[in-house]
Amino acid sequence: MRLASAQLDVEALRATIRARHMSSGNYNGALCDLVGTGGDGHQTFNVSTTAAIVASSFLLVAKHGAKASSSKSGAADLLQAIAPKAAKIENIHPGTISKVFEKGNFAFLFASTFHPGMKHVAGVRKDLGIKTIFNILGPLANPAHQLVGAGMYGVANRGIGRMYAEALKLMGSKNAMVVCGAEDLDEISVAGVTFCWRLKERQVREDENAPPQMSVDIVEFQLEPKDFGLPRHELNQVMPGGTPQENAHMLMKLLTPNELPEDDPLLHFILINVAALFVVSGICGEDISNMGEGDSGEMDMAVGPDGVYNHFTTLSRLIGTLLADGFQTTTVPELAAALSAAEMESPQSLAQNRTPLDAIRPSMICDHISIPLLEVLVAHGWDVNQPDPVLSNTTGPGPTLLKLLCRHGDEALIDWLLAHGATVVMDATNPEDPLGYPPLLQLAAEGGRVGVFRKLLDRGAPLGPRVLHGAAECAAASETEDAGAQGRHMSMVRYLVEKLALDVNALDTQPQQPQPNHWGTPLCYVARQRGSAAVARYLLARGADPGVKDGWGYHDAVSLARLFKNHEVLEVLLNALGEQQQQQKHV
């Protein structure tokens, strides 16, 4: 269906998305979608459409939808019934969608416009009045799918939930969640249990010496309203959905402050679905809240049903505890499987046989680690601070488990290690230049992990000029084509500059050695890595000078961008120099 749809100018839309700079926390600024298959027979309100509109307050949302076939009011019917001025959804088409996102955060991709071939079956579907295969296919056929970085998809049958998640994975989705209420509801249910299938990317290694590869896992768990800090409401309190005009009137009440009481069942129904999309998108990974008037700026830390810590903004205080971020507490059979996958015996067996637990190296378990596994190992005497002898080198000992996890490991595991004695000062004699692997803070910066970075600082991880500049290099010069990783690195650079007072024009040097240890200014780091144009624009806006040469005195940021054929960053730098020259001429 997507191949037969009206084709978008993907590169133009991609450029528009990048220019908006919407990344925040772990949200990479990409398009998001929140959509259901319909056909659940419950005739509820237009929850996914309303939740998508509310979510667009912080996300770029490309909502794909159509007119009703098996219900009273479809997404298109709702938007076209808004009074006093209905949405002109037919004005959004492949030729205008980039312009829509230049000005706003929400676009409705009307199926009849983007899938003109569907007109041949629309009448038949309406006459049938029941769900068909097109209910299943519709959410998967978003014309902007390849630019959708996060999505939540509701299905009306629990039996196809896993299959739907597998289909999304086959289509290339790396960050999505499929949901089905226990009542066969194609939303997160406000009435009881919701079954969830979360797609989440993680690193894997074929063996301990091989470079890591990215893999997408499907994690299953359940949610209830109490996981959001909200009470249950019977479905009859939020149904039946009315006519398009009635639902449009309710939509405007929902979007108008103080029109509904805070305990309104429909409001809760909308908010839990908005909250879920916020978590899936990654925007709840932000470390600094900035939601306007009345926001203290502080972040809440809450624990979801599967034991993972999540950051929450002020909105979360209304919604309550959000769903967890995909890490399931490992059961005993899964623990055995993890140990088997790591090709080692059970810790209990090792202890019974008096086998030394230090034979279990950090690199053996870092890809299979879980909190229950750590608890068993430590209970039998395993040292969380032991270095890995296999990964040692001539400059010092190998990394600890904490070091191996700092760049990409699960934050809940890092929390556990820090709470159970993991040290953050690796070389007490020279904390500014620890032996072996890079300092913990630099590893966290390389992964764009502001939250981990802050926790390490709070625990006393040393941050002097060299580590600060090393962190800036790691964050700014991490080459990646992944939009999510780019957003995390942008957040990391912002944190270093705005919260830790990184001098954007200072050179990082090491006087006791004949040559500098790093390239130069943060802008020099950026110039040699592709995928970092947004960071370059940010540094320039903060006063970075593209004319400052590196530590050798050979290259400035412009010549480095040319040397490394970083055309995107080069264009940004040349434009900045041109503006400077114009200003100088004017003066």
Side-chain angles (χ1 to χ4, degrees):
M1 284 179 67
R2 292 204 316 272
L3 292 176
S5 67
Q7 297 301 301
L8 307 179
D9 186 340
V10 173
E11 291 309 313
L13 183 53
R14 194 192 308 274
T16 299
I17 294 168
R18 286 178 175 172
R20 291 295 307 278
H21 304 308
M22 291 286 288
S23 59
S24 179
N26 296 324
Y27 171 50
N28 59 19
L31 298 181
C32 301
D33 194 9
L34 198 164
V35 61
T37 60
D40 58 17
H42 288 293
Q43 301 292 341
T44 53
F45 180 74
N46 297 93
V47 173
S48 64
T49 304
T50 305
I53 293 171
V54 174
S56 70
S57 55
F58 292 97
L59 309 174
L60 293 179
V61 178
K63 166 69 176 170
H64 184 225
K67 288 180 173 289
S69 291
S70 55
S71 64
K72 295 179 183 178
S73 177
D77 303 305
L78 172 74
L79 296 175
Q80 289 181 320
I82 292 174
K85 189 174 182 180
K88 296 181 178 180
I89 58 177
E90 66 279 358
N91 287 352
I92 301 178
H93 52 75
T96 60
I97 188 169
S98 293
K99 294 180 180 179
V100 171
F101 279 115
E102 286 177 4
K103 302 295 184 182
N105 294 0
F106 181 87
F108 182 73
L109 280 59
F110 188 22
S112 295
T113 299
F114 288 86
H115 295 281
M118 289 300 295
K119 65 184 179 183
H120 302 296
V121 298
V124 176
R125 292 185 66 198
K126 188 68 175 178
D127 290 342
L128 287 173
I130 58 173
K131 61 184 176 183
T132 67
I133 187 62
F134 293 106
N135 287 86
I136 307 299
L137 297 177
L140 301 176
N142 190 324
H145 173 79
Q146 64 189 102
L147 298 180
V148 173
M152 192 166 81
Y153 303 84
V155 295
N157 185 322
R158 178 186 173 189
I160 67 169
R162 176 83 188 194
M163 188 187 311
Y164 216 79
E166 294 283 2
L168 287 165
K169 181 178 176 179
L170 288 172
M171 290 165 54
S173 293
K174 300 176 182 178
N175 183 27
M177 187 163 74
V178 179
V179 299
C180 180
E183 311 87 355
D184 281 342
L185 185 70
D186 67 337
E187 329 275 2
I188 293 181
S189 176
V190 76
V193 172
T194 297
F195 302 98
C196 305
W197 298 263
R198 174 78 189 275
L199 275 69
K200 191 173 183 182
E201 198 172 30
R202 69 179 180 93
Q203 279 195 338
V204 296
R205 285 186 177 92
E206 292 184 1
D207 60 67
E208 62 186 41
N209 297 316
Q213 304 292 325
M214 300 309 294
S215 174
V216 177
D217 292 340
I218 298 175
V219 182
E220 298 186 28
F221 55 96
Q222 297 178 17
L223 293 172
E224 296 183 56
K226 68 180 182 181
D227 298 320
F228 298 82
L230 297 175
R232 291 191 181 197
H233 300 284
E234 296 300 324
L235 280 186
N236 60 17
Q237 294 180 272
V238 293
M239 62 181 291
T243 65
Q245 291 73 25
E246 291 169 338
N247 285 4
H249 177 69
M250 179 56 71
L251 168 64
M252 299 313 294
K253 290 184 69 174
L254 284 161
L255 298 179
T256 303
N258 304 318
E259 278 290 311
L260 295 174
E262 287 190 2
D263 60 354
D264 184 84
L266 185 55
L267 178 63
H268 286 178
F269 200 0
I270 301 301
L271 287 178
I272 62 176
N273 282 272
V274 173
L277 182 60
F278 277 173
V279 172
V280 172
S281 74
I283 201 166
C284 288
E286 185 58 274
D287 288 85
I288 304 169
S289 181
N290 183 20
M291 299 183 70
E293 184 179 354
D295 184 0
S296 67
E298 296 297 318
M299 303 298 297
D300 284 341
M301 184 73 78
V303 180
D306 55 2
V308 168
Y309 290 96
N310 289 299
H311 295 287
F312 303 113
T313 55
T314 301
L315 178 63
S316 310
R317 299 186 179 101
L318 170 62
I319 300 173
T321 303
L322 296 182
L323 66 142
D325 201 13
F327 176 79
Q328 291 292 299
T329 301
T330 308
T331 61
V332 174
E334 290 168 334
L335 173 59
L339 292 169
S340 175
E343 298 182 351
M344 60 185 179
E345 299 176 75
S346 156
Q348 293 95 327
S349 174
L350 288 170
Q352 290 166 2
N353 295 330
R354 298 177 182 242
T355 306
L357 281 180
D358 57 10
I360 300 179
R361 306 187 310 274
S363 61
M364 290 174 62
I365 59 174
C366 66
D367 289 334
H368 310 279
I369 198 67
S370 67
I371 289 174
L373 174 54
L374 280 172
E375 289 173 341
V376 173
L377 289 172
V378 171
H380 287 84
W382 193 72
D383 181 6
V384 297
N385 288 313
Q386 67 164 297
D388 194 308
V390 174
L391 299 181
S392 63
N393 55 40
T394 57
T395 64
T400 63
L401 181 59
L402 180 60
K403 276 205 168 186
L404 292 177
L405 293 175
C406 260
R407 190 184 288 113
H408 300 296
D410 194 295
E411 195 164 335
L413 294 170
I414 293 171
D415 289 339
W416 192 95
L417 287 169
L418 291 173
H420 289 79
T423 182
V424 297
V425 181
M426 301 300 173
D427 181 6
T429 63
N430 187 11
E432 263 291 277
D433 190 18
L435 297 175
Y437 267 49
L440 290 168
L441 292 173
Q442 288 184 207
L443 292 169
E446 186 176 346
R449 312 192 71 189
V450 178
V452 172
F453 194 99
R454 291 178 64 176
K455 289 173 184 176
L456 294 172
L457 275 182
D458 291 343
R459 290 280 179 166
L463 179 71
R466 292 210 56 247
V467 173
L468 179 59
H469 277 269
E473 178 180 13
C474 290
S478 295
E479 182 173 2
T480 176
E481 297 298 325
D482 179 71
Q486 291 174 12
R488 290 191 294 274
H489 291 134
M490 169 64 86
S491 295
M492 190 73 241
V493 173
R494 284 179 53 196
Y495 178 75
L496 295 173
V497 173
E498 297 173 21
K499 297 299 178 181
L500 300 182
L502 172 71
D503 185 345
V504 296
N505 286 314
L507 292 174
D508 175 24
T509 60
Q510 190 174 8
Q512 67 269 31
Q513 293 187 5
Q515 289 186 329
N517 192 49
H518 295 286
W519 282 87
T521 68
L523 202 56
C524 290
Y525 309 151
V526 172
R528 60 186 176 128
Q529 297 293 353
R530 294 178 177 83
S532 55
V535 178
R537 280 189 286 267
Y538 170 77
L539 290 172
L540 289 166
R542 301 292 299 192
D545 183 353
V548 177
K549 294 188 181 298
D550 64 20
W552 284 278
Y554 298 147
H555 297 289
D556 58 20
V558 173
S559 60
L560 283 171
R562 286 198 176 102
L563 180 65
F564 286 91
K565 296 181 171 54
N566 193 350
H567 303 299
E568 190 177 13
V569 170
L570 179 60
E571 182 181 357
V572 172
L573 297 174
L574 291 176
N575 287 339
L577 284 173
E579 291 174 3
Q580 286 182 5
Q581 292 169 0
Q582 288 296 325
Q583 290 173 358
Q584 291 170 359
K585 287 180 180 179
H586 180 71
V587 172

